[in-house]
Amino acid sequence: MEVSLEVVNVPFAIALLAWIIIDILKRRGHENDSNNDDDVKGKIRGYLRVFNVVTVVFSIIIFVLYLGFGFYTYWNYGIVPTKSVCLAITWFVASLVLIYWMDRGFSELKPRPPLVLILWWVFSFGLVSFSVLVYVVRLLGFRELPYRLPEPDIVDVVSLPLLVLFCCRCCCRPLSHGELERPLLLRKENDDDSSFNNASIWSQLTFQWLNPLFEKGRIEKLELHHIPSVPESETADNASLLLEESIRKQKTKSTSLPKAITGTVWKSLAINAVFAGLNTIASYIGPFLISNFVNFLTQKDDSSSYHYGLVLAFIFFFSKTVESLTQRLWYFGAHRIGIRVRAALTVLIYKKSLSTKFVGPSNGKVINLINVDAERIGDFCWYIHGVWLLPIQVFLALVILYWNLGAAPSVAAVFATILVMVSNTPLANRQERLHSKIMEAKDSRIKVTSETLKSMRVLKLHSWEPTFLNKLLQLRETERNWLKKYLYTCSAVAFLFWASPTLVSVITFGVCILLETPLTSGTVLSALATFRILQEPIYNLPELISMIAQTKVSFDRIQEFLGEEDQRKFITSSGPKESGVAVEIKAGEYAWDSSSQSLKNPTIKITEKMKIMKGYKIAICGSVGSGKSSLLCSILGEIPRISGAVIKVYGKKAYVPQRPWVQTGTIRENILFGKDMDDAFYERVLEACALNQDIEMWDNKDMSVVGERGMNLSGGQKQRIQLARAVYSDSDIYILDDPFSAVDAHTGTHLFKKCLKGLLSEKTVIYATHQLEFLDAADLVLVMKDGLIVQSGKYEELIADSDGELVRQMNAHRKSLDQMNPPQDNDSLIAKPCQISQIEVIEEKYGDPICFGKLFERSQEEETETGRVKWSVYSTFVTAAYKGALVPVVLLCQVLFQGLQIGSNYWIAWATEENHKVSREQLIGTFVMLSGGSSIFILGRAVLLATIAIETAQRLFLGMITSVFRAPISFFDSTPSSRILNRSSTDQSTLDTDIPYRLAGLAFALIQLFSIIILMSHVAWQIFLLFIAILGISFWYQTYYITTARELARMVGSRKAPILHHFSESITGAGTIRCFNQEDRFIEKNLSLIDDYSRVAFHNSGTMEWLCVRINFLFNFVFFLVLIILVSLPRSTIDPSLAGLAATYGLNLNVLQAWVIWNLCNVENKMISVERVLQFTNIASEAPLVIEDRRPKPEWPTEGTIELENLQVQYKPTLPVVLKGITCTFPGEMKIGVVGRTGSGKSTLIQALFRVVEPSGGRIIIDGVDISTIGLQDLRSRLGIIPQDPTLFQGTIRTNLDPLQQHSDQEIWEVLDKCRLADIVRQDQRLLDAPVAEDGENWSVGQRQLVCLARVLLKKRRILVLDEATASIDTATDNVIQETIREETSKCTVITVAHRIPTVIDNDLVLVLDKGKIVEYDKPGNLLEDSCSSFSKLVAEFLRSSPKSNNNNNVHHR
């Protein structure tokens, strides 16, 4: 039989040779054939090269093995083995065919080898498998078989795994002719559709489907478009629809989110469970058989046992391979489920937050739900199988121990295990408690950081950033204290983890010795291997319990959020009952806070029914806080209705909120807002909204990019862009909330005439306004006071009611106009030839200099490093704590631990065999000493590591946050706050609890790996050479992998920020998005961003498994060869106990090397967080806060004289000069008004005064001190400013007015009285401790402006700057405020930048700027006398835009 089988090899050799000859002859006939598709060939060639080279190498290895075995047999026994010679010849010819085919196969794009070669591989695999199987059957006891069947030799056994690879190589699918003909671009698109979906089973098993991505990553830097899309099941749309469907299926009232999620992923979970189960069973085969192997080494003598050893080695190899593959598939499957769950939850949270009306969730809470809770639920998919695997693992361990040691020791081992688990549980509970405390502290810190970043301009102008930094550092200190306790608790848990096998083994062997159970080195080593495997479930149990608890909290948080009542009582837009009605307002009560107190005192109370006809213009006016915005919100359905009927709106709505909301994106995208482009209409809208001039000034015109929250636009530009958005929407009803407050008089007039009376002349417009000059054009005026409509009717009717609220407000308005009526008659002024024409108004420049040129070109894409993480990042990290002094100590502890642990294991294995030399007391005593010593070092290592981690994280945090706070304003203008927050939250968390342990884990794993290599090499030196080869191949794989993996890890970090940014932006503008019915478009955008993140995360986790599969196989193969060497070596040359110990440690080899490689790659991936934090540690900072030897006197400035000498300012060297050589003096104790068209440089002048932007030429001198020579804190803290944007912080009224806590309550009440705020504050029983919501949302914009005024009056500064400070206040309040400012600042220099001419008309001097130059600077009276002066033109424009019947009404009401 054997001879006949060997003869079959000869025809195969002849057939293979014949194939080569025939193919050479064939090719000669086709030499001149043209060869196209070079690009396609190159691509296919890249995919197959590695696999083909490996196949050739393995083929040659088999040839060499058979040849070598033949020589060995001939040398020792003098026999020429027919089998070895025949097989060597055939494998040699097969290798030639393979090499020849590689060249031809590549050129002709045929990835499948020739048929004759495939038949040879399959035949060889079948024959060898059969012979090995026969041998195993015989070994198990069926000795008498009917025929003499072939028996395997050592080469057959070694070549079997390689033959498996050859058979898999046969499965490569050849490319069809159609695929080659298909255009390359089309092919690429289809390939990118999802390489995973198109992969064969073998490809999915070995992660070969990632090869094209690795090839791409090796050639060039990976970009998002290089990464294939995720499989359909993982897309956000599909995942969220399935989850929503699952939630709908639950009939019960209380929806269970965990049940719903399980319902959507149960199939994937079941498949994953199969892999997890197989992995667990395979992992226990090694410990089960190790005693047989050690016994074999101890007793081997005859040749039959040699074969038995080979079979054992093969079973070890097979079980380790199954274990490795199932583990990789299990982990990758868990990742996939995690990605799906995370995507589905994120979509649900987004949809909910977009649909939540009224006071929606705070930005911070929603960001946390996605960033922390959804993330944690996704991660739980890793842990879920641990619940049922744990008892199985303990049971299998018990079986092995019972088999080896008997009943009593195995019961003792189980009790010891339970003891360790129980002692671990309180630590785990404490860990969980501390973790939740850390999360709470982090939430508080992130909330304050977010608010601080948003208000950074205000903080810097007031010089409050050191105070807010300290506040932030205090919050971090609280977080750090919890972190310290948490990490030291982790140290105790780590100690238990590493000491548990020692403790369990001491108790078990102690019981064995007490009961005089016979011990051999085989049973001892088997027990030790079992304890080491038990170590994981012992460690995982508390973590599992903790993870279940944390996940439950996250489920509850998300479920609570998703379950909150929507209250989306959508206003029906059914056809009107009466034609011509646009809005039907019915009696009802509305309140923002639906608590019992609000029910008694609603925000808005509508007492009578009202119909607004189509095409009507409705004006709403009233003093600050009278309820104008709330009334508009009630029409929009954005405020909770307490009682009464629904307000009906018939038709499409458009909304312009008081606080401008613009998206990150281009100007055009903001205006179109999801609508198609209509060029002609678009141009008309731009002209009507006075945006043409701005757009002309920007390099990229309307394709210029708007920064986060429109931070690189002026207030007026933001207002006009959102007005353009509303007008372009071509809706039926327009709701405009104070649209003219942020623009100056002539722009306001232009908008009113061109928009309201022009493009919107046929539309229904409801607008709230403080500018009473725009009331007379309205068909109906509603006058508000204290939440009630106190007057309604036509303007003429209301103005005739001398006791009405409107007349009271008009009188105040007139009072401000009277201040600037020039000596001559109004009519004569307007009739002068120098009057400004309407055309001029349109053509004036509306641009803001800050937006000149290339400022818009700042990329919104996050800047990321490329290539390897630099060594400087590692060295900075390692030496951050105590200059790295503790690092060598930690490493020494690990080395000593490892040495003592191997020593203790070897001692007990050796001493049990030499029991006649060693007493029982000596045996157990020495074992306890060695084991105890190793445990002490592990405790030292854990505590020192926690100390290093805490110190490192704190130092890096301080470096980053200090650098950010010292950064100039331009940094915050160009950097979205989400980018800083990402580093402050996600990256800082990684620094706090992850990276130090990853780095240390890598070092520890390397030490363990090297100790095992040394141990094995000590048994047989040949093993060392094997390891060198394998480590070389592993290193090559790792370098090949890391180029792609590194970029993917960076992308995972940078693709998360856009999701959070889009969330944040959508929540802020939710009201606008709902009003324009754009929810679907925003949800689509959200789905796309989540899919971008998912595809990066999906491929990132896949690449890790790709590497682990390959490295695992290599190390399993080495372990197999090590076992064969141990089997082959003569009994006399090895110490069986040492060899058995080497084999026992070898069982862990694949886990250990996977840990090394995983840590090696993960460390680099995680170090990107350090790199990102360090990026923000080196931001160019502003000038010093304090210059000690240049500090001004404490009372400076005494007079308040400001001298500008040839002042030149440009925002960047590449941008145009904004202020062009301004020279003038603002005398002390004078009131100076600064006026000019939008973009003339007014705001820049103020910024230069506060050194927000440093002058490029000239200087500013205040009371003889050149401000550029003193510290910023000394300068800014001595000046007062009310900025354009009223900013309030979350806290109380007291902390908002006096953040530095320098003033008494009495002083605070005084300024509140002066600013007309005292009555409002007294309405709340908590008075000064009444809460202020995030961004001051519970105050109207006008009230916020008053708080900012009170804040400045409290500071009592000699120089006060009002930057359009009263833009959101009604005229009556404005007059009172102006009076207050005049009284309170009589001894101060006041610089007022104003849109309202009355604000500056009574000033001592007026400075008129145009295009960055001084046009006029004189007393207002002198300037008004010259009717051709620029100031006269501005006044004329303002007067012309005021109500026409001024004088008559004035007389009538006096």
Side-chain angles (χ1 to χ4, degrees):
M1 176 86 180
E2 206 168 314
V3 173
S4 61
L5 282 173
E6 284 157 13
V7 170
V8 177
N9 295 337
V10 179
F12 267 114
I14 294 165
L16 288 162
L17 270 173
W19 183 85
I20 293 180
I21 294 160
I22 292 164
D23 199 72
I24 289 170
L25 293 172
K26 260 191 199 173
R27 289 185 72 189
R28 277 192 180 168
H30 296 287
E31 266 176 2
N32 298 326
D33 283 5
S34 63
N35 212 341
N36 298 323
D37 292 323
D38 283 344
D39 292 341
V40 183
K41 260 188 287 175
K43 191 177 178 195
I44 307 293
R45 195 177 286 150
Y47 293 170
L48 295 171
R49 183 178 287 112
V50 176
F51 205 2
N52 285 333
V53 169
V54 169
T55 313
V56 171
V57 170
F58 284 175
S59 185
I60 292 168
I61 285 172
I62 295 175
F63 155 65
V64 170
L65 286 172
Y66 277 117
L67 192 65
F69 189 69
F71 273 117
Y72 172 79
T73 311
Y74 178 72
W75 190 267
N76 284 337
Y77 306 106
I79 303 166
V80 177
T82 322
K83 177 186 169 185
S84 297
V85 172
C86 289
L87 284 167
I89 291 167
T90 315
W91 276 107
F92 175 71
V93 178
S95 302
L96 280 179
V97 169
L98 200 52
I99 292 164
Y100 170 77
W101 165 80
M102 269 179 65
D103 178 50
R104 198 208 72 160
F106 274 156
S107 61
E108 295 182 14
L109 297 167
K110 290 181 180 172
R112 186 173 282 172
L115 181 64
V116 66
L117 193 59
I118 291 171
L119 289 172
W120 166 242
W121 285 344
V122 172
F123 171 76
S124 300
F125 173 70
L127 186 63
V128 172
S129 302
F130 179 68
S131 60
V132 170
L133 185 68
V134 165
Y135 178 68
V136 172
V137 169
R138 272 197 187 142
L139 203 67
L140 293 173
F142 306 106
R143 294 200 173 272
E144 296 304 317
L145 287 169
Y147 302 104
R148 187 170 175 273
L149 296 170
E151 285 194 6
D153 54 33
I154 188 167
V155 181
D156 289 338
V157 177
V158 171
S159 64
L160 186 58
L162 305 182
L163 288 167
V164 173
L165 184 90
F166 288 136
C167 289
C168 296
R169 184 66 191 83
C170 305
C171 303
C172 281
R173 186 176 60 85
L175 290 169
S176 68
H177 181 70
E179 279 178 296
L180 292 176
E181 293 296 315
R182 205 182 306 156
L184 186 62
L185 283 173
L186 187 66
R187 278 261 313 286
K188 187 178 177 192
E189 277 173 27
N190 291 349
D191 286 351
D192 277 4
D193 185 35
S194 173
S195 48
F196 177 79
N197 276 348
N198 305 328
S200 63
I201 292 173
W202 170 250
S203 179
Q204 289 192 19
L205 201 65
T206 57
F207 295 89
Q208 252 186 307
W209 52 274
L210 283 164
N211 286 358
L213 188 64
F214 279 110
E215 198 62 33
K216 177 71 77 178
R218 202 167 56 86
I219 298 163
E220 59 185 302
K221 185 193 171 187
L222 280 184
E223 304 287 349
L224 186 66
H225 61 84
H226 292 141
I227 297 165
S229 54
V230 284
E232 181 61 30
S233 59
E234 269 74 48
T235 58
D237 191 25
N238 185 61
S240 62
L241 287 175
L242 283 172
L243 183 55
E244 283 170 351
E245 182 64 31
S246 183
I247 289 171
R248 270 198 299 275
K249 279 180 186 170
Q250 292 188 24
K251 305 291 183 206
T252 54
K253 279 186 181 178
S254 57
T255 309
S256 167
L257 192 58
K259 203 180 284 183
I261 288 174
T262 310
T264 60
V265 296
W266 69 269
K267 284 182 186 168
S268 305
L269 279 174
I271 294 166
N272 220 18
V274 171
F275 288 133
L278 283 172
N279 174 261
T280 303
I281 293 164
S283 67
Y284 276 90
I285 288 173
F288 181 69
L289 291 179
I290 199 79
S291 59
N292 298 36
F293 188 74
V294 175
N295 293 340
F296 159 77
L297 290 179
T298 312
Q299 297 155 8
K300 76 172 175 186
D301 44 13
D302 60 346
S303 59
S304 66
S305 67
Y306 166 72
H307 288 100
Y308 175 67
L310 288 181
V311 170
L312 279 177
F314 180 74
I315 293 171
F316 273 125
F317 174 68
F318 181 74
S319 66
K320 294 308 284 180
T321 305
V322 169
E323 182 191 343
S324 301
L325 277 178
T326 51
Q327 189 178 45
R328 305 286 47 107
L329 293 167
W330 169 20
Y331 286 0
F332 183 63
H335 264 299
R336 283 187 65 189
I337 298 166
I339 286 167
R340 198 183 313 172
V341 169
R342 210 174 289 133
L345 286 173
T346 308
V347 174
L348 256 63
I349 292 166
Y350 182 77
K351 284 181 177 175
K352 177 69 183 182
S353 53
L354 203 57
S355 69
T356 304
K357 290 198 161 193
F358 323 139
V359 182
S362 74
N363 232 326
K365 182 183 174 183
V366 176
I367 296 296
N368 261 351
L369 287 177
I370 310 157
N371 229 358
V372 179
D373 297 304
E375 205 62 45
R376 189 177 289 149
I377 292 169
D379 290 343
F380 183 66
C381 300
W382 271 71
Y383 295 87
I384 198 161
H385 296 301
V387 177
W388 61 270
L389 279 177
L390 189 78
I392 291 175
Q393 287 170 316
V394 174
F395 172 74
L396 289 173
L398 191 61
V399 168
I400 294 170
L401 290 171
Y402 179 74
W403 183 269
N404 285 315
L405 303 174
S410 55
V411 170
V414 169
F415 273 116
T417 304
I418 291 168
L419 177 70
V420 174
M421 284 184 176
V422 168
S423 59
N424 212 349
T425 308
L427 285 173
N429 291 341
R430 178 177 160 81
Q431 230 181 339
E432 187 195 334
R433 235 180 7 258
L434 292 170
H435 189 267
S436 60
K437 290 286 186 189
I438 291 172
M439 291 312 294
E440 282 169 26
K442 194 183 292 302
D443 280 358
S444 309
R445 176 172 63 81
I446 295 302
K447 204 171 187 182
V448 172
T449 309
S450 173
E451 192 174 46
T452 308
L453 292 174
K454 274 194 275 187
S455 317
M456 192 53 87
R457 183 178 289 274
V458 174
L459 296 183
K460 284 192 176 288
L461 289 172
H462 285 295
S463 191
W464 286 344
E465 76 269 34
T467 308
F468 276 74
L469 176 59
N470 286 335
K471 183 180 173 185
L472 205 56
L473 292 178
Q474 281 167 11
L475 289 168
R476 170 65 186 174
E477 194 52 42
T478 309
E479 184 187 355
R480 183 174 173 235
N481 288 333
W482 290 120
L483 183 67
K484 198 180 283 184
K485 290 174 185 171
Y486 174 76
L487 290 181
Y488 283 130
T489 308
C490 289
S491 303
V493 172
F495 166 68
L496 261 183
F497 171 67
W498 290 103
S500 60
T502 306
L503 182 69
V504 174
S505 54
V506 165
I507 291 172
T508 310
F509 295 141
V511 170
C512 287
I513 288 165
L514 280 172
L515 299 176
E516 297 187 359
T517 306
L519 289 175
T520 63
S521 57
T523 54
V524 163
L525 291 171
S526 177
L528 286 171
T530 309
F531 297 148
R532 201 169 292 124
I533 285 196
L534 258 185
Q535 182 181 15
E536 205 171 328
I538 291 172
Y539 180 65
N540 284 350
L541 178 68
E543 192 183 352
L544 183 65
I545 294 166
S546 155
M547 194 65 193
I548 290 169
Q550 286 178 30
T551 309
K552 186 183 180 305
V553 170
S554 292
F555 268 125
D556 291 346
R557 275 162 59 98
I558 292 178
Q559 195 160 328
E560 181 193 1
F561 175 70
L562 295 177
E564 281 171 8
E565 198 184 334
D566 256 1
Q567 297 177 297
R568 292 193 66 188
K569 295 167 185 168
F570 265 137
I571 295 149
T572 49
S573 302
S574 54
K577 293 170 188 170
E578 301 169 42
S579 60
V581 177
V583 182
E584 210 175 319
I585 299 175
K586 296 182 179 175
E589 293 183 349
Y590 299 83
W592 287 110
D593 180 11
S594 48
S595 63
S596 54
Q597 193 180 354
S598 304
L599 300 179
K600 296 172 199 163
N601 188 13
T603 312
I604 293 287
K605 190 172 184 179
I606 300 169
T607 50
E608 53 190 56
K609 191 176 173 185
M610 198 183 301
K611 283 182 184 171
I612 296 171
M613 308 308 285
K614 283 188 176 172
Y616 265 38
K617 304 289 176 284
I618 311 296
I620 302 171
C621 65
S623 58
V624 170
S626 58
K628 300 182 296 299
S629 299
S630 298
L631 179 64
L632 295 180
C633 286
S634 69
I635 295 169
L636 288 168
E638 294 286 337
I639 178 171
R641 178 166 51 85
I642 301 168
S643 64
V646 178
I647 294 177
K648 290 186 177 168
V649 179
Y650 303 108
K652 273 168 59 185
K653 308 184 293 289
Y655 174 47
V656 178
Q658 186 175 13
R659 200 167 198 180
W661 177 75
V662 288
Q663 277 180 279
T664 308
T666 63
I667 304 285
R668 181 181 291 181
E669 284 167 359
N670 268 288
I671 295 172
L672 296 183
F673 206 56
K675 289 200 66 151
D676 294 330
M677 181 67 162
D678 174 348
D679 290 321
F681 184 50
Y682 180 73
E683 286 304 323
R684 283 166 59 209
V685 169
L686 290 184
E687 196 233 350
C689 295
L691 280 166
N692 274 334
Q693 292 295 333
D694 299 80
I695 285 170
E696 284 306 311
M697 289 167 68
W698 297 324
D699 277 8
N700 294 330
K701 304 294 185 275
D702 61 347
M703 298 309 286
S704 301
V705 178
V706 177
E708 187 184 18
R709 300 191 309 277
M711 56 178 28
N712 48 1
L713 296 170
S714 70
Q717 286 167 334
K718 283 189 271 191
Q719 190 70 281
R720 283 178 280 139
I721 286 169
Q722 66 164 359
L723 184 60
R725 173 174 69 210
V727 175
Y728 190 82
S729 72
D730 195 25
S731 300
D732 303 309
I733 295 129
Y734 288 81
I735 296 166
L736 317 178
D737 194 352
D738 205 6
F740 313 116
S741 65
V743 294
D744 45 33
H746 73 273
T747 313
T749 309
H750 175 88
L751 294 176
F752 190 76
K753 287 177 181 169
K754 293 286 181 179
C755 272
L756 265 73
K757 296 172 83 174
L759 285 178
L760 304 182
S761 56
E762 305 294 315
K763 309 284 188 180
T764 308
V765 183
I766 304 169
Y767 60 98
T769 185
H770 287 303
Q771 278 88 334
L772 303 179
E773 54 267 28
F774 298 131
L775 295 183
D776 61 339
D779 299 300
L780 179 68
V781 177
L782 305 178
V783 185
M784 303 280 305
K785 187 179 181 183
D786 299 331
L788 292 166
I789 300 173
V790 290
Q791 279 184 295
S792 67
K794 287 197 175 297
Y795 175 75
E796 290 76 15
E797 296 166 11
L798 299 181
I799 211 76
D801 177 5
S802 57
D803 301 324
E805 175 69 16
L806 182 64
V807 170
R808 192 187 69 74
Q809 290 189 27
M810 287 305 293
N811 287 340
H813 182 59
R814 264 180 221 99
K815 188 177 169 189
S816 71
L817 283 173
D818 290 345
Q819 292 171 358
M820 64 174 180
N821 276 345
Q824 67 266 55
D825 188 49
N826 235 7
D827 296 331
S828 63
L829 173 70
I830 293 169
K832 289 279 178 190
C834 292
Q835 72 171 47
I836 189 162
S837 71
Q838 192 56 41
I839 295 155
E840 278 179 52
V841 173
I842 297 164
E843 290 179 353
E844 263 142 14
K845 305 230 173 218
Y846 296 111
D848 186 325
I850 195 166
C851 301
F852 266 120
K854 298 189 172 54
L855 199 67
F856 267 127
E857 289 180 15
R858 289 187 183 127
S859 166
Q860 290 299 315
E861 282 295 316
E862 184 164 351
E863 185 187 321
T864 56
E865 302 281 343
T866 55
R868 287 193 75 93
V869 174
K870 296 180 182 67
W871 283 111
S872 58
V873 175
Y874 286 96
S875 65
T876 305
F877 184 78
V878 171
T879 58
Y882 313 108
K883 297 187 177 173
L886 293 181
V887 175
V889 183
V890 171
L891 294 177
L892 181 64
C893 284
Q894 175 65 20
V895 170
L896 291 169
F897 158 72
Q898 196 63 38
L900 287 170
Q901 199 186 42
I902 290 175
S904 67
N905 291 348
Y906 176 63
W907 163 260
I908 197 153
W910 174 82
T912 47
E913 289 298 315
E914 308 286 337
N915 51 11
H916 56 282
K917 293 182 188 172
V918 181
S919 69
R920 288 190 303 173
E921 291 76 15
Q922 272 182 308
L923 188 149
I924 200 73
T926 310
F927 182 65
V928 168
M929 272 175 56
L930 290 169
S931 302
S934 71
S935 300
I936 288 165
F937 283 116
I938 213 71
L939 181 63
R941 184 198 87 177
V943 171
L944 288 173
L945 189 55
T947 309
I948 292 172
I950 295 158
E951 185 63 21
T952 304
Q954 187 65 4
R955 283 181 181 264
L956 290 177
F957 174 78
L958 287 175
M960 175 181 70
I961 207 73
T962 312
S963 177
V964 166
F965 267 72
R966 292 291 298 115
I969 287 290
S970 57
F971 169 77
F972 299 97
D973 287 348
S974 60
T975 310
S977 59
S978 58
R979 211 170 279 175
I980 305 171
L981 282 175
N982 226 350
R983 283 164 170 80
S984 192
S985 59
T986 315
D987 291 324
Q988 188 60 45
S989 289
T990 311
L991 255 72
D992 286 344
T993 55
D994 208 357
I995 299 179
Y997 292 92
R998 290 259 187 269
L999 260 177
L1002 173 62
F1004 302 158
L1006 281 170
I1007 289 168
Q1008 276 183 281
L1009 186 64
F1010 287 132
S1011 64
I1012 292 174
I1013 292 172
I1014 291 164
L1015 175 66
M1016 287 182 165
S1017 306
H1018 185 64
V1019 175
W1021 63 267
Q1022 300 90 331
I1023 295 171
F1024 187 68
L1025 302 175
L1026 263 178
F1027 270 111
I1028 288 175
I1030 290 299
L1031 287 172
I1033 297 169
S1034 301
F1035 184 70
W1036 179 84
Y1037 264 125
Q1038 197 264 338
T1039 47
Y1040 180 76
Y1041 155 88
I1042 199 70
T1043 48
T1044 302
R1046 189 192 298 123
E1047 296 310 323
L1048 282 171
R1050 283 197 175 111
M1051 269 192 244
V1052 168
S1054 60
R1055 298 317 310 175
K1056 191 70 182 277
I1059 298 176
L1060 301 180
H1061 177 64
H1062 185 249
F1063 252 86
S1064 181
E1065 208 166 52
S1066 302
I1067 293 166
T1068 312
T1072 308
I1073 295 167
R1074 283 194 292 269
C1075 182
F1076 283 90
N1077 292 324
Q1078 291 287 318
E1079 293 102 322
D1080 289 347
R1081 185 170 68 88
F1082 275 77
I1083 288 166
E1084 276 299 315
K1085 167 84 170 163
N1086 184 49
L1087 291 173
S1088 155
L1089 289 172
I1090 293 168
D1091 282 344
D1092 283 350
Y1093 175 69
S1094 293
R1095 72 206 259 205
V1096 176
F1098 177 83
H1099 288 86
N1100 188 41
S1101 66
T1103 51
M1104 179 64 77
E1105 305 310 337
W1106 178 94
L1107 181 69
C1108 287
V1109 161
R1110 281 146 185 77
I1111 305 281
N1112 274 347
F1113 180 79
L1114 281 174
F1115 273 82
N1116 288 337
F1117 190 60
V1118 165
F1119 180 52
F1120 178 51
L1121 293 178
V1122 166
L1123 294 180
I1124 285 174
I1125 289 170
L1126 292 178
V1127 166
S1128 309
L1129 287 171
R1131 167 78 178 81
S1132 56
T1133 59
I1134 55 168
D1135 172 356
S1137 300
L1138 197 58
L1141 187 65
T1144 308
Y1145 272 99
L1147 287 174
N1148 268 16
L1149 202 58
N1150 69 320
V1151 177
L1152 195 56
Q1153 60 71 32
W1155 195 25
V1156 169
I1157 295 295
W1158 188 73
N1159 269 321
L1160 198 61
C1161 303
N1162 219 352
V1163 158
E1164 178 143 24
N1165 293 349
K1166 294 286 181 185
M1167 284 303 284
I1168 291 165
S1169 288
V1170 180
E1171 183 182 71
R1172 282 157 58 84
V1173 166
L1174 290 176
Q1175 261 181 2
F1176 278 15
T1177 307
N1178 304 315
I1179 308 162
S1181 73
E1182 287 186 303
L1185 289 175
V1186 175
I1187 301 172
E1188 285 301 335
D1189 56 344
R1190 290 294 184 96
R1191 298 204 70 169
K1193 292 174 184 173
E1195 63 276 8
W1196 179 86
T1198 48
E1199 294 171 19
T1201 305
I1202 303 170
E1203 298 168 58
L1204 310 178
E1205 295 181 2
N1206 190 28
L1207 183 66
Q1208 295 174 17
V1209 173
Q1210 60 185 135
Y1211 284 93
K1212 268 187 175 180
T1214 52
L1215 299 180
V1217 178
V1218 180
L1219 295 183
K1220 302 164 183 172
I1222 289 183
T1223 302
C1224 65
T1225 300
F1226 297 163
E1229 300 183 11
M1230 288 264 198
K1231 310 285 181 283
I1232 296 100
V1234 181
V1235 294
R1237 310 274 179 213
T1238 308
S1240 58
K1242 304 187 296 289
S1243 294
T1244 307
L1245 178 63
I1246 302 306
Q1247 292 190 58
L1249 183 62
F1250 281 83
R1251 286 177 65 194
V1252 167
V1253 54
E1254 298 284 355
S1256 53
R1259 57 185 189 154
I1260 301 173
I1261 296 169
I1262 298 177
D1263 283 1
V1265 176
D1266 182 348
I1267 64 167
S1268 62
T1269 62
I1270 60 172
L1272 289 181
Q1273 191 170 349
D1274 284 334
L1275 169 68
R1276 291 169 182 170
S1277 61
R1278 311 295 175 90
L1279 307 177
I1281 183 168
I1282 304 178
Q1284 189 173 353
D1285 229 359
T1287 305
L1288 299 192
F1289 309 100
Q1290 190 165 15
T1292 62
I1293 293 166
R1294 182 186 278 105
T1295 56
N1296 266 283
L1297 289 172
D1298 183 23
L1300 308 186
Q1301 297 174 346
Q1302 295 172 333
H1303 302 278
S1304 66
D1305 283 11
Q1306 188 184 346
E1307 290 175 289
I1308 294 173
W1309 280 113
E1310 279 174 18
V1311 295
L1312 287 175
D1313 275 322
K1314 286 168 188 167
C1315 296
R1316 303 295 187 272
L1317 278 170
D1319 292 341
I1320 299 167
V1321 173
R1322 285 193 182 99
Q1323 285 173 7
D1324 194 304
Q1325 295 167 348
R1326 290 165 286 191
L1327 301 174
L1328 294 178
D1329 293 318
V1332 175
E1334 194 175 350
D1335 292 334
E1337 290 292 347
N1338 53 347
W1339 293 66
S1340 75
V1341 177
Q1343 287 167 335
R1344 282 179 237 167
Q1345 199 99 52
L1346 294 177
V1347 172
C1348 291
L1349 175 66
R1351 198 186 268 165
V1352 168
L1353 294 182
L1354 196 60
K1355 283 171 77 174
K1356 297 187 176 73
R1357 296 290 177 253
R1358 299 289 298 179
I1359 296 173
L1360 177 62
V1361 177
L1362 308 178
D1363 189 1
E1364 298 163 356
T1366 53
S1368 299
I1369 299 177
D1370 59 277
T1371 318
T1373 313
D1374 189 17
N1375 289 343
V1376 174
I1377 295 307
Q1378 290 303 325
E1379 209 171 300
T1380 306
I1381 291 173
R1382 274 195 291 277
E1383 289 169 10
E1384 293 298 312
T1385 60
S1386 54
K1387 300 284 186 191
C1388 303
T1389 307
V1390 180
I1391 303 167
T1392 309
V1393 176
H1395 284 154
R1396 298 182 181 194
I1397 299 302
T1399 315
V1400 295
I1401 203 77
D1402 65 335
N1403 284 358
D1404 302 311
L1405 293 163
V1406 171
L1407 175 69
V1408 183
L1409 293 176
D1410 188 31
K1411 298 179 187 173
K1413 292 179 179 171
I1414 296 179
V1415 182
E1416 292 156 2
Y1417 182 42
D1418 204 343
K1419 291 178 180 175
N1422 297 348
L1423 293 174
L1424 286 172
E1425 283 171 11
D1426 177 6
S1427 57
C1428 289
S1429 71
S1430 297
F1431 188 60
S1432 293
K1433 291 178 184 178
L1434 288 168
V1435 171
E1437 178 58 34
F1438 183 79
L1439 288 172
R1440 198 167 56 239
S1441 68
S1442 305
K1444 299 173 183 105
S1445 51
N1446 260 350
N1447 295 335
N1448 305 337
N1449 288 334
N1450 235 356
V1451 172
H1452 177 81
H1453 292 300
R1454 266 177 187 158

